[in-house]
Amino acid sequence: MAQESAIQRKRGSEICQAEETRSGWHYRPHVDIVEHADELTLHMDMPGADAKKVDIRYENGLLSLHGMVEPRQPEDTRYLMREYGVGNFHRTFQIGETIDDSKITAEYRDGVLVVHLPKTEAVKPRKIAVRTT
Amino acid sequence: MLARRINGHPVHRLRDEMDRLFEGFFQDTPYWNTLGARTYPPFNIWEDNHNLFVEAELPGMKMEDVEVLVSGKELTVKGSRSIELTEQATVHRQERPSGRFARMIQLPVDIRANDVSAELKEGVLLITLPKMAGVDPKRIEVKCASK
């Protein structure tokens, strides 16, 4: 197919979500994944995380993102209203083999983690010039 | 995306419930006349002797995107989040909410509106609302009526 994506497609457009057991509770953050000509870009909402405690691993096509979030208030805080919990974030994605894992970069700004996953040279679209003889 | 997998854990279920609220608000419907519009952003509220604290998670937003208004005992947090995607890009997954939001709540005590402060750091909004003098609960000494 011409529009073959770098992400393995499973169950229609669903990206395969790996199951993993972790100790402790964690939240499943909202993620946008956008494919450009030369890279996949992943945006993940992780408010209140510490950039130094964001752990990104890419192994065997599995991208795992983990953000440690320390409680912002003491444990014994008595809330008048509590509509959300604060805790660690975790998500895992199965990515195709077309990512150059040595060039993955990430930045954290305004509570959003952005991960750049550059495609390998082999899968980047090329424009072929047609010569006339 | 609407057919979000419900995880067995109560916390995940709660999160999913909340996610659904956001989705309804941000993506499908006009913002202002939905029930969901009043539930974003979710708040955590606590107090000490002198202040009320209201916290909300607003990832991807800067202070200029957010407006905090106090009028009497009413606190309003409103703003907008724009997520721009270039036309050449293929969107594989779009879960993050965007659009305008506004939420008003009634505060439990009178506060000094002129001294309210708000800061937005790493996507977490913290509003500090100093209580009006005299609203602190006073400890009443209970004396034994001695005969």
Side-chain angles (χ1 to χ4, degrees):
Chain A
M1 277 187 290
Q3 288 291 312
E4 190 61 70
S5 106
I7 293 178
Q8 290 176 4
R9 284 167 185 268
K10 300 241 171 107
R11 285 180 289 138
S13 64
E14 280 288 288
I15 294 164
C16 180
Q17 194 88 53
E19 290 286 340
E20 198 179 340
T21 312
R22 291 190 78 93
S23 57
W25 291 1
H26 61 266
Y27 291 96
R28 184 177 179 272
H30 287 125
V31 171
D32 288 353
I33 300 174
V34 180
E35 183 175 354
H36 302 273
D38 53 352
E39 70 165 37
L40 279 169
T41 316
L42 184 145
H43 304 260
M44 186 155 108
D45 283 348
M46 288 201 328
D50 179 352
K52 293 185 198 77
K53 291 181 182 169
V54 175
D55 185 37
I56 303 170
R57 283 161 202 270
Y58 182 79
E59 201 177 14
N60 299 328
L62 204 64
L63 179 73
S64 132
L65 305 148
H66 188 63
M68 297 274 282
V69 180
E70 299 294 332
R72 293 188 282 269
Q73 283 81 49
E75 214 170 276
D76 58 354
T77 301
R78 285 174 57 202
Y79 289 92
L80 302 172
M81 189 157 135
R82 194 174 196 184
E83 296 182 329
Y84 62 90
V86 173
N88 299 342
F89 292 110
H90 181 72
R91 275 190 87 164
T92 310
F93 297 95
Q94 183 80 48
I95 309 280
E97 287 169 27
T98 49
I99 298 302
D100 187 346
D101 56 359
S102 65
K103 290 182 183 160
I104 296 175
T105 57
E107 71 240 10
Y108 181 70
R109 196 181 303 129
D110 299 329
V112 178
L113 178 72
V114 182
V115 185
H116 301 278
L117 304 152
K119 295 181 189 175
T120 53
E121 288 299 321
V123 297
K124 283 184 189 171
R126 282 197 179 77
K127 187 166 171 60
I128 311 298
V130 180
R131 288 184 299 182
T132 52
T133 49
Chain B
M1 197 169 73
L2 283 171
R4 189 182 291 280
R5 183 170 54 88
I6 304 289
N7 203 310
H9 201 286
V11 171
H12 296 151
R13 269 206 299 276
L14 178 65
R15 189 80 179 188
D16 285 336
E17 287 293 331
M18 287 157 69
D19 289 350
R20 267 196 293 280
L21 284 173
F22 299 175
E23 281 162 12
F25 159 36
F26 279 103
Q27 285 164 8
D28 307 320
T29 46
Y31 325 113
W32 300 102
N33 49 13
T34 59
L35 187 67
R38 280 176 217 125
T39 60
Y40 188 90
F43 287 141
N44 280 349
I45 303 177
W46 67 100
E47 64 178 338
D48 63 15
N49 288 337
H50 308 293
N51 301 286
L52 271 179
F53 301 95
V54 176
E55 189 197 74
E57 293 185 333
L58 301 172
M61 285 178 240
K62 298 183 188 302
M63 209 59 224
E64 58 259 33
D65 303 321
V66 181
E67 223 178 316
V68 176
L69 307 162
V70 179
S71 164
K73 278 188 177 180
E74 283 179 8
L75 169 72
T76 305
V77 176
K78 59 198 242 183
S80 67
R81 181 190 197 183
S82 61
I83 294 177
E84 286 172 20
L85 299 169
T86 52
E87 281 178 17
Q88 288 85 23
T90 310
V91 179
H92 289 286
R93 196 171 264 255
Q94 192 169 14
E95 300 171 351
R96 297 188 305 151
S98 63
R100 288 191 296 162
F101 61 86
R103 183 174 184 195
M104 192 268 283
I105 55 160
Q106 203 75 30
L107 299 168
V109 294
D110 287 314
I111 49 119
R112 303 203 307 271
N114 290 337
D115 299 320
V116 171
S117 62
E119 64 166 350
L120 182 57
K121 203 175 146 197
E122 306 294 21
V124 179
L125 176 71
L126 177 63
I127 308 168
T128 305
L129 306 127
K131 293 180 191 173
M132 198 86 89
V135 301
D136 300 347
K138 291 278 185 294
R139 178 177 280 273
I140 312 295
E141 204 73 40
V142 180
K143 287 177 190 159
C144 267
S146 54
K147 285 179 184 172

